[in-house]
């Protein structure tokens, strides 16, 4: 998101249409130069001459993403082009216009009226501009609160007046092809949109609450693309060992962690790494988040397509590699281990707190201990921590008491913190990176599994072998000035 303001008084001479056509946006005056953002390889010389004449200083071009520049032009040079602008414009509407129990015909009419349509579109556009993964709309007695989940943390967004709450929810239901008359049952749907030349999938979930319906929108921006294994933030040693694990011809490699910790991104990156075109790769997922360019089977429990049934069918498709979105039950766990035992590479995820717990979880799912010991090749536990904003991070003196839970005892004079700026919406953080704990199987671990040792004993063996824990890996990023101690402790809490 470009942090810019209209540069008065000259900005009044510019229009959104002119700037969009020229592909430029004046951002700020810097050292007697005008910083101008553009997405184009070449800008018309006449446009540059006009800007120099208008502002009286030389122009300095700065390359930025096209969608960022265009979004900023619309935000700064078009009236009512922000969600807050539309909200202010409709703030004086009749309070009775959007009552939760209004007639369905009235709600349909309101949901299709220009202010509501524009407001919903702008909320989605602004969510994308801020890199939000989710949009939460929560109904309360006198308001519809809107929040964006940015870098894993909810942040306040422009909130519409309560009289528009029912109309906005109805608009989203219409877009997702849901039943707007049904307000007593949860509903799930999907919206496919093209916003600012970007293809976006929106997963819609509604649930009834005391004061109306709560709606959560999961945004999947198809244009962002997938992240390569080298970009996930692993240390060199962890990356080398993980690459070796997923390059084996058979066995099980697991990614573990809570929801939203990046497990699917890691598994997708592993598929991209090992894919050469000479092997058969199949996936079964719930839901399919991005298209991998291989056959992908969506789970649909309503018609009997579960992870287990789909996995059985995939085994008859002559696969070499299978990605199983999640091992949820004993049947899926058994089929996955049998597949690994018979010469297939199986990539999957589990919801456990750390790597050793994944092994004991398989035992709890009634997988035979000898199967766990012989098929599992590696377990990667991961979390996501927020990255300090490069525009406002500063070095500060380290507090020894604060670092006691993380540091290895070596003296540290300084760490880094984010002061907060427009680029990071005042949070001090922009973006996220992973911290990892990679357990690779050894003879000692296999022996401990066959003896059904508990997770704490397996963890002691792992640490004794020199494997960095989540907190140790997080400390690496603190020392590098990538994140803060608070972020590591929050993400890797015991």
């Amino acid at each position: 998101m470009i942090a810019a303001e209209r540069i008065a008084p000259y900005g009044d001479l510019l229009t959104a249409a002119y700037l969009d056509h020229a592909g430029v946006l004046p951002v700020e005056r810097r050292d007697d130069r005008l910083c101008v953002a553009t997405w184009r390889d070449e800008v018309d010389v006449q446009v540059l001459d006009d800007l120099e004449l208008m502002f009286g200083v030389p122009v300095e071009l700065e390359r930025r993403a096209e969608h960022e520049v265009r979004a900023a032009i619309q935000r700064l040079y078009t009236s009512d082009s922000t969600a807050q602008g539309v909200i202010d414009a409709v703030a004086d509407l009749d309070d009775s216009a959007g009552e939760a129990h209004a007639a369905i015909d009235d709600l349909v009419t309101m949901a299709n009226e220009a202010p509501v349509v524009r407001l919903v579109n702008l909320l989605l556009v602004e969510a994308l501009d801020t890199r939000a993964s989710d949009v939460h709309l929560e109904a309360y007695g006198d308001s519809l609160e809107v929040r964006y989940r940015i870098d894993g943390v909810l942040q306040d967004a422009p909130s519409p007046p309560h009289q528009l709450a029912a109309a906005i929810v109805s608009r989203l239901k219409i877009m997702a092809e849901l039943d707007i008359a049904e307000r007593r049952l949860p509903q799930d749907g999907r919206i496919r949109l093209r916003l600012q030349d970007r293809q976006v999938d929106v997963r819609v979930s509604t649930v009834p609450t005391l004061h109306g319906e709560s709606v959560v929108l999961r945004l999947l921006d198809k244009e962002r693309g997938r992240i390569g294994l080298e970009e996930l933030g692993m240390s060199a040693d962890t990356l080398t060992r993980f690459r070796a694990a997923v390059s084996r011809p058979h066995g099980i490699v697991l990614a573990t962690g809570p929801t939203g910790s990046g497990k699917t991104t890691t598994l997708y990156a592993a598929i991209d790494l090992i894919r050469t075109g000479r092997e058969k790769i199949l996936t079964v997922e719930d839901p399919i988040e991005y298209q991998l360019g291989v056959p992908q089977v969506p789970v649909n429990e309503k018609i009997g397509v579960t992870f287990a049934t789909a996995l059985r069918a995939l085994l008859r498709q002559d696969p070499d590699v299978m990605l199983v979105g999640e091992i949820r039950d004993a049947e899926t766990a058994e089929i996955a281990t049998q597949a690994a035992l018979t010469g297939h590479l199986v990539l999957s995820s589990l919801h456990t707190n750390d790597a050793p717990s994944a092994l004991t979880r398989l035992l709890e799912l009634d997988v035979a201990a000898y199967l766990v010991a012989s098929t599992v090749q590696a377990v990667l536990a991961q979390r996501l921590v927020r990255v300090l904003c490069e525009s406002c991070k500063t070095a500060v003196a380290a507090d020894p008491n604060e670092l006691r839970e993380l540091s290895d005892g070596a003296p540290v004079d300084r760490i880094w913190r984010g002061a907060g700026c427009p680029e990071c919406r005042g949070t001090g953080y922009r973006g996220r990176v992973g911290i990892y704990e990679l357990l690779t199987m050894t003879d000692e671990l296999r022996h401990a599994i066959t003896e059904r040792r508990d997770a704490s004993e397996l963890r002691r063996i792992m640490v004794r072998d020199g494997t960095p824990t989540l907190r140790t890996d997080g400390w690496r990023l603190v020392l590098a000035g990538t994140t803060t101690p608070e972020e590591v402790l929050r993400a890797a809490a015991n």
Side-chain angles (χ1 to χ4, degrees):
M1 181 177 178
I2 295 178
E5 297 180 359
R6 289 186 60 157
I7 307 177
Y10 310 102
D12 293 334
L13 303 177
L14 302 174
T15 65
Y18 172 80
L19 294 173
D20 191 77
H21 176 74
V24 296
L25 171 65
V27 176
E28 64 176 339
R29 296 182 72 142
R30 182 191 303 158
D31 299 330
D32 292 328
R33 289 180 177 272
L34 177 68
C35 178
V36 175
T38 182
W39 68 86
R40 294 191 171 155
D41 295 329
E42 293 185 7
V43 176
D44 191 328
V45 175
Q46 184 62 52
V47 171
L48 298 179
D49 289 343
D50 289 345
L51 290 175
E52 287 192 5
L53 182 63
M54 192 179 299
F55 287 88
V57 292
V59 171
E60 183 178 89
L61 292 177
E62 180 180 290
R63 285 293 298 272
R64 300 296 288 266
E66 179 177 352
H67 71 269
E68 285 189 3
V69 179
R70 280 190 154 147
I73 290 172
Q74 292 301 312
R75 186 172 71 248
L76 298 171
Y77 289 88
T78 305
S79 60
D80 75 344
S81 61
T82 65
Q84 189 60 59
V86 176
I87 290 169
D88 293 341
V90 300
D92 296 328
L93 285 178
D94 179 12
D95 283 0
S96 63
E99 289 293 328
H101 299 289
I104 297 301
D105 289 346
D106 293 340
L107 281 180
V108 172
T109 300
M110 282 195 67
N112 290 308
E113 286 182 350
V116 174
V117 173
R118 184 164 180 75
L119 179 53
V120 169
N121 289 344
L122 285 169
L123 286 172
L124 292 173
V125 168
E126 291 181 8
L128 287 171
D129 287 343
T130 58
R131 303 170 296 104
S133 60
D134 303 84
V135 179
H136 291 244
L137 299 94
E138 300 161 336
Y140 294 98
D142 58 355
S143 65
L144 179 70
E145 298 295 327
V146 180
R147 294 189 291 173
Y148 298 151
R149 187 175 293 280
I150 303 171
D151 296 331
V153 178
L154 286 173
Q155 298 182 25
D156 290 337
S159 295
H162 72 276
Q163 62 265 28
L164 286 184
I168 289 171
V169 172
S170 296
R171 174 63 187 168
L172 291 168
K173 283 184 167 184
I174 290 171
M175 295 170 70
E177 299 182 353
L178 301 179
D179 183 0
I180 68 168
E182 181 54 75
R183 306 172 193 167
R184 301 165 301 169
L185 296 174
Q187 296 188 68
D188 294 303
R190 187 173 181 176
I191 305 171
R192 288 183 175 87
L193 296 173
R194 190 154 193 87
L195 296 172
Q196 296 181 339
D197 297 326
R198 286 184 285 178
Q199 188 66 41
V200 181
D201 272 3
V202 183
R203 297 217 171 86
V204 183
S205 171
T206 72
V207 295
T209 65
L210 179 62
H211 296 292
E213 290 179 278
S214 173
V215 183
V216 175
L217 312 174
R218 166 62 58 90
L219 307 179
L220 299 174
D221 187 352
K222 300 295 187 181
E223 303 300 321
R224 283 186 185 171
R226 295 190 302 278
I227 300 175
L229 205 56
E230 294 79 7
E231 303 170 72
L232 296 178
M234 294 182 187
S235 67
D237 176 65
T238 299
L239 178 60
T240 299
R241 292 190 296 128
F242 187 70
R243 287 172 64 104
V246 298
S247 298
R248 292 175 179 268
H250 56 80
I252 297 177
V253 177
L254 297 171
T256 78
T259 300
S261 58
K263 300 186 296 298
T264 300
T265 298
T266 299
L267 294 177
Y268 279 4
I271 290 292
D272 285 337
L273 171 71
I274 62 182
R275 181 172 54 190
T276 65
R278 297 189 297 272
E279 62 285 299
K280 177 78 167 184
I281 301 175
L282 299 168
T283 82
V284 51
E285 304 169 65
D286 182 25
I288 295 172
E289 295 193 10
Y290 294 101
Q291 296 182 19
L292 288 172
V294 302
Q296 295 172 267
V297 179
V299 167
N300 189 340
E301 295 187 357
K302 293 180 180 178
I303 61 173
V305 181
T306 64
F307 277 112
T309 58
L311 191 50
R312 287 188 192 279
L314 294 187
L315 284 171
R316 296 192 289 272
Q317 294 277 307
D318 186 30
D320 297 297
V321 180
M322 290 186 293
L323 189 158
V324 184
E326 182 184 346
I327 295 178
R328 294 178 179 173
D329 52 45
E331 187 179 9
T332 306
E334 180 185 0
I335 301 168
T337 51
Q338 289 292 342
L341 196 63
T342 54
H344 304 86
L345 177 65
V346 179
L347 309 178
S348 190
S349 69
L350 272 175
H351 287 289
T352 60
N353 288 330
D354 57 18
S357 298
L359 301 173
T360 56
R361 175 61 180 154
L362 290 176
L363 296 177
E364 291 169 1
L365 290 173
D366 294 328
V367 179
Y370 79 92
L371 278 177
V372 176
S374 60
T375 59
V376 176
Q377 300 295 338
V379 182
L380 181 75
Q382 63 182 82
R383 300 290 190 278
L384 293 177
V385 296
R386 291 184 291 174
V387 174
L388 284 166
C389 175
E390 290 294 333
S391 298
C392 65
K393 77 174 187 180
T394 56
V396 298
D399 182 351
N401 294 324
E402 187 179 46
L403 303 181
R404 186 173 293 116
E405 291 188 65
L406 277 182
S407 69
D408 53 8
V412 177
D413 295 328
R414 68 175 188 175
I415 58 174
W416 295 81
R417 296 196 184 280
C421 67
E423 286 286 336
C424 60
R425 292 170 59 94
T427 64
Y429 299 97
R430 183 174 170 82
R432 288 191 291 177
V433 70
I435 57 175
Y436 302 93
E437 171 182 289
L438 178 61
L439 179 155
T440 50
M441 294 298 284
T442 63
D443 290 340
E444 186 178 4
L445 276 170
R446 290 190 175 95
H447 181 68
I449 292 167
T450 56
E451 292 187 346
R452 304 186 74 89
R453 304 274 185 87
D454 61 20
S456 60
E457 177 62 24
L458 298 179
R459 185 170 190 79
R460 279 193 288 272
I461 296 172
M462 181 191 78
V463 173
R464 193 167 63 240
D465 288 341
T467 299
T469 64
L470 287 168
R471 288 193 175 187
T472 304
D473 198 46
W475 179 240
R476 169 181 67 90
L477 297 181
V478 172
L479 292 178
T482 304
T483 190
T484 60
E486 295 88 352
E487 270 298 292
V488 176
L489 291 172
R490 176 186 66 83
N494 291 329

